[in-house]
Amino acid sequence: MRQRLVLKFLFRLTAFCVLLFVLDRLIGYGFKTAYFNQQVGQFSQTTYAIDSARADVMVFGSSRAVRHYSTTIISKELGLTCYNSGRDGQMIPYSAAVEEVSLNRHKPKLIILDINPWELANNPSKYEKLTILLPYCDEHKELVPYISEVSEFERYKLMSKVYPYNSSIFILATNALFPKSAKKDSAGYLPLEGVMTPAYLAEYTTRMQARYQRIKVNKEVPEEKGIAYFKKFLDNTAKYNIKTVVVISPTILKDPFELDNQSLEKKLVVDITKKYPNVTFLDYSSDARFNSQPQKFSDEFHLNRYGSEEFSTGFARYLKANRFVE
């Protein structure tokens, strides 16, 4: 009798596991289809950057890359195709990951990396946000080490076909219900339309100065892993002898990194880039055309459309005048 009950339990357990397996595959296939059919929004931009982009000029970086570099203007000024692979909320590990996949497919003539010194500081969120790469790990195994930064168990969780899309469900549902809710990018470029007010600038300046008084005694300790990802990004460009420009794009405050206790990280950016003959470093954080010019910013971190178009024009003309691309 007991043996029969054990066999019955094992049979039911096996059937339950098989059902879970089948449901995981079916639901995962549905999510995958919906995800990779996105035509606008951050998922479609990431998909294009990873799977399809073959532009002459490739831009990498965070939301400041997305908002600051007009691909249309850069293409027009240089006479080359341009794609912006930047992504909101992401940092140097994401840039290194997308660059690695991209270079396995295509070697651009010029790479632009927009970087902020705080990307080399201790900040666990820059690894937690790498879950955006989960849907691509099946096709691009080179991404698995990056998502393993989230946790050591991520590679095993990929056995589930639903798991890679867990964090995407809300956005997928929103895009399905409101297909026009996401703005269409221009080859990855998506400018902000807002305008920062003088009052907002004054409040932000006061807040940063007060914050500096609280943190100035803190000892700066850059993150070795963040530095390693920055070097990995540059190592890959050097490997293929691709001309590369590392840029700190315009900031609303003049060279704000001391106020943010990041002067050491900025010095590291400068010193590291000097070691690569194919890399040029450009710093626009003390550019008087943008410092304390709230009409050119949407918020304390990002240029608006007006500011980004002015920056992109001047930046592209500098590249052309100095023969960064032939």
Side-chain angles (χ1 to χ4, degrees):
M1 183 67 178
R2 180 178 296 177
Q3 185 178 12
R4 182 181 298 176
L5 289 173
V6 170
L7 290 173
K8 188 175 182 179
F9 169 76
L10 290 175
F11 175 79
R12 289 180 174 178
L13 178 62
T14 302
F16 178 72
C17 291
V18 170
L19 179 62
L20 281 182
F21 179 86
V22 172
L23 287 175
D24 177 78
R25 264 50 188 171
L26 288 175
I27 297 172
Y29 177 78
F31 284 150
K32 181 177 181 179
T33 301
Y35 184 98
F36 286 100
N37 280 340
Q38 298 291 297
Q39 300 300 311
V40 295
Q42 60 178 322
F43 298 152
S44 68
Q45 290 169 261
T46 300
T47 298
Y48 190 84
I50 288 177
D51 289 334
S52 304
R54 292 179 177 273
D56 298 320
V57 180
M58 295 290 292
V59 181
F60 296 87
S62 65
S63 59
R64 283 167 53 81
V66 179
R67 313 300 182 177
H68 291 186
Y69 297 83
S70 169
T71 49
T72 301
I73 291 173
I74 292 172
S75 292
K76 180 181 178 181
E77 293 291 338
L78 298 182
L80 298 169
T81 57
C82 178
Y83 190 79
N84 192 323
S85 297
R87 188 61 55 245
D88 288 350
Q90 298 294 335
M91 301 184 215
I92 189 61
Y94 175 87
S95 297
V98 176
E99 180 209 38
E100 182 174 347
V101 175
S102 298
L103 293 182
N104 286 338
R105 181 186 65 255
H106 168 68
K107 311 300 182 292
K109 295 180 179 179
L110 177 68
I111 284 178
I112 299 165
L113 172 66
D114 186 278
I115 195 166
N116 194 308
W118 54 267
E119 295 184 51
L120 304 188
N122 284 289
N123 187 343
S125 70
K126 64 173 169 268
Y127 303 110
E128 295 164 1
K129 293 176 180 179
L130 290 174
T131 53
I132 194 174
L133 297 173
L134 286 168
Y136 306 95
C137 289
D138 266 354
E139 296 296 325
H140 302 285
K141 300 301 182 186
E142 61 267 46
L143 293 177
V144 174
Y146 292 92
I147 62 98
S148 295
E149 293 284 10
V150 181
S151 87
E152 59 183 305
F153 302 108
E154 292 302 301
R155 64 176 68 238
Y156 305 111
K157 294 177 184 178
L158 286 171
M159 289 188 289
S160 165
K161 299 304 179 184
V162 171
Y163 177 72
Y165 306 96
N166 280 349
S167 59
S168 313
I169 295 173
F170 176 77
I171 296 175
L172 290 175
T174 301
N175 290 348
L177 294 171
F178 308 99
K180 296 183 180 180
S181 61
K183 294 182 179 179
K184 175 63 178 172
D185 63 281
S186 176
Y189 168 62
L190 194 61
L192 295 173
E193 304 294 347
V195 178
M196 192 177 186
T197 65
Y200 187 177
L201 172 58
E203 185 275 332
Y204 174 62
T205 303
T206 301
R207 177 157 38 94
M208 286 294 290
Q209 290 171 341
R211 181 175 182 272
Y212 176 67
Q213 294 303 315
R214 295 194 308 271
I215 69 172
K216 65 180 181 179
V217 296
N218 296 346
K219 183 179 180 181
E220 295 176 84
V221 183
E223 185 200 45
E224 291 300 322
K225 192 159 57 172
I227 294 170
Y229 274 114
F230 181 44
K231 290 180 178 178
K232 183 173 185 177
F233 186 99
L234 298 182
D235 285 342
N236 283 334
T237 70
K239 176 181 177 182
Y240 298 107
N241 196 30
I242 300 170
K243 286 187 178 180
T244 302
V245 186
V246 175
V247 188
I248 297 178
S249 54
T251 54
I252 187 66
L253 299 182
K254 182 178 180 180
D255 195 14
F257 309 110
E258 182 176 350
L259 280 178
D260 216 13
N261 205 16
Q262 292 165 358
S263 55
L264 180 56
E265 285 86 350
K266 181 181 176 181
K267 185 176 185 302
L268 278 169
V269 171
V270 176
D271 292 344
I272 291 170
T273 54
K274 286 179 179 178
K275 297 178 181 179
Y276 294 83
N278 65 308
V279 177
T280 299
F281 173 68
L282 298 177
D283 182 9
Y284 289 88
S285 66
S286 295
D287 192 323
R289 294 172 297 177
F290 299 96
N291 296 148
S292 301
Q293 301 292 319
Q295 73 277 12
K296 298 180 182 181
F297 285 78
S298 179
D299 57 40
E300 62 264 44
F301 302 115
H302 305 101
L303 295 167
N304 56 25
R305 181 186 292 273
Y306 172 69
S308 67
E309 289 180 353
E310 179 183 341
F311 167 65
S312 296
T313 300
F315 174 64
R317 288 177 179 174
Y318 175 86
L319 295 180
K320 184 176 182 179
N322 288 275
R323 299 181 178 275
F324 276 84
V325 286
E326 301 294 340

